[in-house]
Amino acid sequence: MAGHSAPGFHPHLPGFKHQFLAKALGATMWFFIFYRAREDGPKLLGLRHPWEGHGHGHGHHEEGEEHH
């Protein structure tokens, strides 16, 4: 039997579009993971309390400032 391959599952290789999409989605996933680790990492590791905020200055008022 010339040209007959071995029995079993023989998947075809993915095309260029699928390879590009897989790399783009994988990169997006890792960028998101690293972004969240930068934002929430200290809280998850116990280095900062969750109620301390993100350091943007919200909720801090100077003396003499009127509250409406």
Side-chain angles (χ1 to χ4, degrees), residues 25-50:
L25 290 174
T28 303
M29 174 193 68
W30 282 111
F31 287 133
F32 179 76
I33 288 172
F34 288 132
Y35 171 75
R36 292 312 309 170
R38 186 183 70 183
E39 293 292 320
D40 296 335
K43 287 181 243 173
L44 292 174
L45 296 174
L47 302 175
R48 192 170 74 198
H49 297 293

Side-chain angles (χ1 to χ4, degrees), residues 13-31:
L13 296 175
F16 176 76
K17 290 179 185 179
H18 289 109
Q19 288 180 0
F20 180 80
L21 184 62
K23 288 178 185 177
L25 290 174
T28 303
M29 174 193 68
W30 282 111
F31 287 133

